[in-house]
Amino acid sequence: MGRWICCLCSRGADPLMLLLVLALGCDPSTAATASPSVPHAKPSYTFGRTFLGLDKCNACIGTSICKKFFKEEIRFDTWLSSHLKLPPSSLLSYSGNYTDDAQSWRPVQISRLSSRYQQERGERRVCGALRGRSCSLERALRRTPRLQKWLRAKRLTPDLVQGLPSPLLRCPSQRLLDRIVRRYAEVPDAGSIYMDHLRDRDRLRLLYTLAVNAHPILLQMFPDVEGWPFPRYLGSCGRLVVSASTRPLRDFFGAAAEVAADLALQLLAVLRSMANNDLNYFFYFTRVDAATFGVFGNGHLFIRDASTLGIIDREEGSQLMDSQQEYRDIFSCLAVDCQSAFVSCDSIRDEHSLVMVCQDLLPKLLAGKFVPPVQERIDAFLQRCAGGFGDKQGAKEATEELAELLKPLRSCDSRFAYRYPDCRYSDKY
C-alpha cells in the first residue's frame, strides 16, 4: 500500500491527494527517483575571465560595463540559439544587443582592440626577458620606466606618450592630452585635467588602451551627443569594448543610386567637419578601408573605426618634435611591429583624408550607379580628387563639384530617417 501511494506521488495526483500522501509519510527520495520529468534549472550564460580578458586586468581596457554582461543585459546574437554558446574568442568584433529595462533592446557592437594573435605576440615580447618562467603581464608592465613615470605624474604630458604607436598621439598638444584625461570614462570622477583621481590601476588601463588601440578613447573624447560623427561609447569589460552598432560601409557598395549618393554626400560632409570644427582640431586618417565608416539603422553615416585617426591641434600645435617620437619601449610594441616608422607631423596635408577616400571608397560606392553622362562626370571628379596629393585646391574643388552633382540625385523618403521628414521642408537637403 505504501509503495502504491508513493507511486501516486511521483505521477502527479491532485493537490488533496498529495497532502494525503505526505501525511502518510511517502518517501520523497523514492518519488524523485521514479519521476521521469524532473524540472530543469533555467539555463544561464557562462563567461570565462579569459573570454572577456578580465584575466589580464589591469593590463586591459576597463570594467565599467561588466555588470551588464553578468546580468545578461548585454547579449551576443549567438545567444539567441538554444545552445546559448558564446562566440569564438578569436573574432575581432561581435554583434550584440543591449538593454536597460529588460524589455527594449538595441543593437550594439562588441569589439576587441586587437586580434588574439597580436595580443599574444605583444605579451610574449613583454615576458620574453623572463626566459620561460611564469609571467604576470601586469607585473612586468609595472616595472617599466614609462609606467613608473605615469604613476608619479600629476598631469598627462607629451613626454609620457612619446613613442606610443597610436596616430592620436603622434603630434600631441597639451590641450589634447588634457582632454584625454578629462573625458576618460572608465573612472567615476572624470572631469579634471589632473590625474589625481586616477588610481594606479586606472593609469595602467589608460596607458594600455592608448598603446594598443585608441579607438575607445576617441569615442570618449568626442561623444556623439556633442555632434561628433562617432558611435556612442557604452563601456568596457576586460578587453571588450561596447559601442552603438553600425553596419560597415562595404555593405552598401551594392546599394541603389539614391542611397549611394546620400552616403557619398555624408562621407564628404564628415571629412569637412573633421578638418574644420569649433575646437580647431584637424583629424586625418592614416588608412581607410570599407569598415572605417558605418551606417546606423536610420541611414546616418558615422566613423565606425577611429583607430587610424590622427589629430593635429591647430590652436596649440605639436609639443613633440618628430625626432623625439623615435623613442621606443615595450608599450610601443604591444600591438604593432616595433620597427614601424612614424608618420611625420609635417607630412600631413589638408587634403590627406579626402584623397584616400576618393581613391579607395567613393569609386566602390558610386561605380556604375547612374546614367552614362552623370556617371562619366562623377568618375572624372573622383579621378581629379584621387590625384590631388600636393594639390589642395584641386582635390577640394573636385569634391565640391561632386557634391553639387550628387545633391539632386538623392531622394527624400523614410529610408533616410535621420533627415526625414525634415528634407521635405528644407533646402538643406
Side-chain angles (χ1 to χ4, degrees):
M1 179 67 177
R3 282 197 295 269
W4 177 81
I5 292 174
C6 285
C7 288
L8 273 178
C9 176
S10 67
R11 291 171 186 170
D14 61 51
L16 290 176
M17 180 60 76
L18 290 176
L19 288 173
L20 174 62
V21 167
L22 292 174
L24 292 173
C26 175
D27 182 357
S29 63
T30 305
T33 305
S35 174
S37 56
V38 178
H40 295 288
K42 179 184 175 182
S44 61
Y45 309 108
T46 302
F47 281 105
R49 289 171 57 81
T50 302
F51 180 87
L52 293 170
L54 285 171
D55 59 325
K56 302 294 186 181
C57 280
N58 293 303
C60 63
I61 311 166
T63 55
S64 61
I65 209 165
C66 287
K67 287 184 179 179
K68 285 282 186 182
F69 278 105
F70 293 121
K71 290 168 65 178
E72 300 175 18
E73 292 176 346
I74 296 176
R75 297 187 175 190
F76 293 89
D77 281 352
T78 51
W79 285 7
L80 301 178
S81 70
S82 59
H83 300 294
L84 304 174
K85 291 181 179 178
L86 290 173
S89 60
S90 57
L91 300 181
L92 267 176
S93 65
Y94 313 88
S95 297
N97 293 282
Y98 175 102
T99 186
D100 288 317
D101 55 16
Q103 301 296 322
S104 58
W105 294 79
R106 62 181 187 268
V108 292
Q109 187 79 19
I110 305 168
S111 309
R112 298 185 186 277
L113 296 192
S114 63
S115 69
R116 196 171 186 176
Y117 169 76
Q118 287 174 317
Q119 291 174 358
E120 291 174 352
R121 188 178 179 188
E123 289 162 14
R124 281 198 298 270
R125 292 193 189 105
V126 175
C127 296
L130 299 181
R131 298 181 181 177
R133 288 181 290 165
S134 61
C135 170
S136 163
L137 179 64
E138 178 178 350
R139 194 175 301 120
L141 292 177
R142 281 184 177 276
R143 290 198 293 262
T144 60
R146 186 191 294 269
L147 185 59
Q148 290 302 312
K149 289 177 66 176
W150 271 63
L151 297 181
R152 295 190 299 268
K154 290 288 186 180
R155 194 174 183 182
L156 185 59
T157 51
D159 63 295
L160 295 177
V161 299
Q162 64 177 327
L164 293 182
S166 170
L168 171 65
L169 303 170
R170 298 219 179 128
C171 313
S173 68
Q174 188 58 59
R175 185 171 71 117
L176 183 69
L177 298 179
D178 287 344
R179 190 175 183 88
I180 291 175
V181 175
R182 192 170 66 248
R183 295 297 184 92
Y184 185 45
E186 287 297 313
V187 293
D189 297 320
S192 172
I193 64 172
Y194 297 101
M195 296 199 292
D196 297 335
H197 62 291
L198 299 183
R199 292 170 289 183
D200 287 2
R201 72 176 190 184
D202 300 324
R203 298 184 188 219
L204 175 54
R205 291 175 182 180
L206 176 56
L207 174 54
Y208 176 84
T209 308
L210 290 171
V212 173
N213 187 328
H215 169 76
I217 303 299
L218 275 155
L219 303 193
Q220 296 166 49
M221 293 171 67
F222 304 101
D224 67 311
V225 294
E226 294 179 3
W228 297 96
F230 298 106
R232 180 166 301 181
Y233 177 79
L234 298 172
S236 299
C237 183
R239 290 185 171 179
L240 292 180
V241 180
V242 183
S243 59
S245 177
T246 58
R247 289 176 60 191
L249 186 62
R250 62 169 169 263
D251 290 358
F252 297 86
F253 285 166
E258 60 270 22
V259 175
D262 183 82
L263 292 175
L265 283 166
Q266 287 192 72
L267 183 51
L268 293 175
V270 165
L271 294 183
R272 282 195 301 271
S273 70
M274 303 308 277
N276 300 282
N277 51 76
D278 292 342
L279 293 183
N280 215 12
Y281 288 124
F282 173 68
F283 295 76
Y284 66 92
F285 287 98
T286 56
R287 185 183 73 254
V288 295
D289 59 35
T292 300
F293 298 90
V295 183
F296 283 125
N298 64 359
H300 205 172
L301 181 138
F302 276 58
I303 296 172
R304 188 172 189 258
D305 179 5
S307 64
T308 63
L309 266 179
I311 300 179
I312 294 175
D313 189 341
R314 284 178 165 160
E315 189 170 300
E316 287 191 1
S318 171
Q319 296 189 21
L320 276 182
M321 299 299 292
D322 289 331
S323 59
Q324 290 179 283
Q325 295 193 28
E326 295 304 318
Y327 172 84
R328 293 287 202 283
D329 70 349
I330 201 62
F331 284 97
S332 309
C333 314
L334 285 176
V336 298
D337 184 353
C338 294
Q339 305 305 315
S340 298
F342 289 124
V343 175
S344 167
C345 300
D346 295 334
S347 69
I348 306 300
R349 299 288 180 262
D350 288 355
E351 68 276 12
H352 190 89
S353 299
L354 194 60
V355 171
M356 285 195 295
V357 165
C358 288
Q359 289 176 341
D360 300 324
L361 296 184
L362 287 179
K364 297 173 183 175
L365 182 63
L366 299 174
K369 296 287 174 66
F370 306 94
V371 295
V374 175
Q375 188 69 57
E376 289 171 4
R377 292 181 65 193
I378 290 174
D379 294 343
F381 289 142
L382 290 178
Q383 190 171 7
R384 279 175 55 198
C385 173
F389 277 125
D391 183 5
K392 175 182 175 181
Q393 290 305 116
K396 183 180 179 182
E397 289 176 1
T399 52
E400 287 175 352
E401 293 172 12
L402 175 62
E404 290 303 315
L405 179 62
L406 291 174
K407 282 178 183 178
L409 300 178
R410 58 182 180 173
S411 63
C412 179
D413 59 61
S414 57
R415 287 177 299 170
F416 310 100
Y418 79 95
R419 59 180 173 88
Y420 180 85
D422 295 352
C423 53
R424 290 188 178 274
Y425 312 106
S426 173
D427 294 335
K428 176 183 177 183
Y429 299 108

